[in-house]
Amino acid sequence: MSEMFSPFRRDFVFGAATAAYQIEGAWNADGKGPSIWDAFAHRHGKIKTGENADIACDHYNRYEQDVAIMKELGLDAYRGSIAWTRILPEGSGPVNQQGVDFYSRLTDSLLEAGIAPWYTLFHWDLPLALQKKLGGFRNRDIAEVFADYAEVVVRALGDRARNWITINEPFEYAFFGHVLGAMAPGLKNPLAYFPVMHNVLRAHGAALSRIRAISPGATVGITLSQTPVVPESSTQPDQRATEVADAFLNHIDLRPILKGSYPPILLDRAHTLFPRILPGDMESISQPLDFIGLNYYTRERASHAWYVPFLHAWVSGKDAAPGEFEKDGVQYTAMGQEVYPEGLYSLAMMMKTEYGNPPVIITENGAAFEDRLEGDEVHDPKRTSYLQTYLEALSRAIAEGADVRGYFVWSLLDNFEWAQGTRPRFGIVYVDYPSQRRVIKDSGRWYARLIRASRGQS
Ligand code: FCB
């Protein structure tokens, strides 16, 4: 194996990430209840490819093999999520022991392989029963219901699993699920955005207090998506729109969590859309965390838009047609997203300068490209170069004092990319769905070498 230099310290955490609905399959096995994602994907026309994740990567039945692959890659850590409906099929009430046992077995096998589990408690797969009974995250009661579930999980696994992420990407969950309807629960209601966001953040706060009380040594954080926004032009209206868009996409959850208040520019423009904030809410949301998890993929551009009520801002990526991987010297992924490594540098530096340099973990970063299985190999130089350039940008920020302590590739495996189905392949490990065979891609082998080099091993 060729030698490699790594700019990362020995104790930097290298991992790979997944989410329950995207990989587990076994959607109704062993007492599991239905989630809003099971219901959404079963509805005609909701998933671009007409698929669902009833089987996905069949990780539920193949987790031992998947852990063996992680071991082969030399991962320090694995970020997976717990399916709420395996633990509590109805969302609250009786515990399904078989679901608990699955995560217990997974935890043991990770630890045996020397891999630290980092579990996300909520990666979008809300129990369908709670959506029906309570209206999901539109109801304030969800916060304590979520904390009760968190307590069951942490009591069962907390003696072995020490790292917890309460919630994944409040912005995507609130916006794509409740305003655009492109994801579960599939609502199209612009008025739902701020109330859902507020309740997601309150649920985070309630679960955090609960975990602190029952597992004082645990490391707890939340995962937020971050998409730097640049103005479409240098005109004043576009610059103003950029400030609004940045607040709407990025600071909407970062600021309440780290500073205890919503971005002033949003309160200013859209105060009538905010829910009533009760005494204690912001204190609960802004309790101290052990780390902030950030997911970073690409940047967006903002322009002034008189026709968008309240915000007067419009956001779009730099357009590339699907399958067009390069345009005007800029690279794109199979999702049509601009490859923009510099954003990871500026994001890490922004956390240092604007938010007091809290410990940061990059909980997701990666790219979909069109991979082909050739015998026992998958050659994916674009992904390797993507990971390499993003990690270089990250290491520059660390060298300049940004407190970033870990990085998780999205994703360990090719998987079910929500409403896009299995077509986008994000894995550093290829999954041949008909046979469920796993093949480590070249990018996975590259990542393994980087991890070894970071530990001072060749
Ligand atoms: C993030 C999600 C993750 C995955 C990646 C590509 O928004 O958290 O589940 O779908 O995007």
Side-chain angles (χ1 to χ4, degrees):
M1 224 160 252
S2 64
E3 275 196 40
M4 193 191 269
F5 166 76
S6 165
F8 293 93
R9 283 169 36 155
R10 262 172 186 275
D11 58 355
F12 190 81
V13 175
F14 279 106
T18 66
Y21 183 70
Q22 295 179 275
I23 65 164
E24 283 181 0
W27 77 284
N28 59 0
D30 298 340
K32 180 182 169 295
S35 77
I36 57 171
W37 264 98
D38 293 315
F40 186 76
H42 287 162
R43 267 159 65 192
H44 181 73
K46 294 296 175 193
I47 308 300
K48 210 167 159 189
T49 53
E51 297 166 285
N52 56 51
D54 290 2
I55 299 174
C57 306
D58 195 29
H59 169 79
Y60 186 76
N61 296 306
R62 293 168 199 264
Y63 72 92
E64 282 174 308
Q65 184 194 351
D66 293 337
V67 172
I69 293 170
M70 296 181 218
K71 188 173 177 188
E72 192 178 338
L73 293 171
L75 302 186
D76 299 314
Y78 167 63
R79 175 184 174 221
S81 82
I82 309 282
W84 189 337
T85 54
R86 282 199 201 285
I87 308 290
L88 301 167
E90 296 284 307
S92 58
V95 173
N96 174 38
Q97 193 54 42
Q98 293 184 86
V100 174
D101 290 347
F102 167 67
Y103 293 110
S104 191
R105 290 195 302 274
L106 172 65
T107 303
D108 289 342
S109 93
L110 286 166
L111 293 176
E112 237 165 75
I115 299 163
W118 289 60
Y119 289 135
T120 311
L121 289 163
F122 179 64
H123 201 125
W124 304 350
D125 47 354
L126 185 74
L128 184 60
L130 295 180
Q131 188 67 40
K132 290 193 167 155
K133 208 161 62 191
L134 298 180
F137 277 88
R138 280 174 299 163
N139 189 326
R140 279 185 66 92
D141 293 350
I142 196 74
E144 285 305 315
V145 176
F146 177 62
D148 291 345
Y149 150 67
E151 176 166 352
V152 173
V153 176
V154 174
R155 279 197 192 283
L157 306 177
D159 56 333
R160 290 155 290 157
R162 313 300 290 155
N163 308 288
W164 300 97
I165 292 166
T166 52
I167 286 173
N168 180 70
E169 294 192 349
F171 170 79
E172 278 67 16
Y173 185 70
F175 192 68
F176 291 98
H178 299 78
V179 178
L180 295 187
M183 290 190 162
L187 305 181
K188 292 183 185 164
N189 177 2
L191 301 180
Y193 176 68
F194 290 110
V196 168
M197 179 59 85
H198 189 59
N199 287 332
V200 169
L201 295 177
R202 288 180 50 252
H204 156 77
L208 177 58
S209 310
R210 207 69 79 82
I211 300 171
R212 293 276 190 241
I214 57 179
S215 188
T219 301
V220 194
I222 184 170
T223 280
L224 312 175
S225 63
Q226 288 293 303
T227 314
V229 194
V230 290
E232 192 69 68
S233 80
S234 59
T235 62
Q236 219 260 327
D238 279 1
Q239 288 188 11
R240 191 79 181 135
T242 302
E243 275 174 53
V244 176
D246 190 29
F248 189 78
L249 291 170
N250 301 318
H251 301 281
I252 178 71
D253 42 21
L254 203 45
R255 187 178 162 115
I257 284 173
L258 290 174
K259 296 191 176 173
S261 59
Y262 284 106
I265 200 167
L266 292 181
L267 292 168
D268 200 35
R269 295 250 169 138
H271 64 96
T272 49
L273 302 181
F274 273 84
R276 227 151 67 84
I277 295 172
L278 299 188
D281 283 2
M282 300 315 287
E283 288 75 10
S284 170
I285 291 171
S286 60
Q287 292 169 78
L289 287 172
D290 300 304
F291 66 92
I292 284 282
L294 302 178
N295 294 351
Y296 172 68
Y297 290 91
T298 190
R299 66 172 164 180
E300 302 274 5
R301 282 152 209 282
S303 51
H304 176 70
W306 56 267
Y307 50 86
V308 175
F310 299 100
L311 304 176
H312 308 306
W314 185 253
V315 160
S316 68
K318 212 182 177 199
D319 288 344
E324 191 175 21
F325 289 103
E326 198 183 330
K327 201 169 97 180
D328 306 332
V330 179
Q331 311 285 320
Y332 295 88
T333 71
M335 304 285 278
Q337 289 179 336
E338 180 186 356
V339 176
Y340 186 61
E342 202 52 28
L344 194 47
Y345 167 82
S346 50
L347 173 59
M349 294 311 284
M350 186 275 286
M351 293 302 291
K352 180 173 178 234
T353 52
E354 278 185 44
Y355 283 104
N357 213 16
V360 165
I361 303 283
I362 303 302
T363 39
E364 284 181 30
N365 171 243
F369 290 107
E370 276 167 2
D371 302 319
R372 261 199 357 261
L373 183 59
E374 295 173 44
D376 287 334
E377 298 181 350
V378 177
H379 305 300
D380 58 341
K382 286 193 180 120
R383 183 173 293 99
T384 302
S385 141
Y386 179 103
L387 298 177
Q388 198 166 11
T389 52
Y390 277 61
L391 279 161
E392 267 164 20
L394 186 63
S395 73
R396 244 186 307 124
I398 295 172
E400 290 175 30
D403 191 5
V404 183
R405 302 185 182 182
Y407 172 94
F408 289 76
V409 175
W410 184 272
S411 176
L412 175 70
L413 304 171
D414 290 339
N415 61 49
F416 185 84
E417 177 50 28
W418 308 110
Q420 308 290 319
T422 57
R423 190 146 188 266
R425 292 181 174 273
F426 273 91
I428 53 172
V429 176
Y430 187 93
V431 176
D432 178 49
Y433 292 103
S435 67
Q436 289 292 351
R437 185 157 76 100
R438 275 80 162 134
V439 175
I440 298 178
K441 301 180 191 176
D442 287 354
S443 59
R445 306 228 172 259
W446 173 85
Y447 193 50
R449 287 208 298 281
L450 174 72
I451 298 172
R452 269 199 298 278
S454 307
R455 291 189 190 131
Q457 303 162 329
S458 56

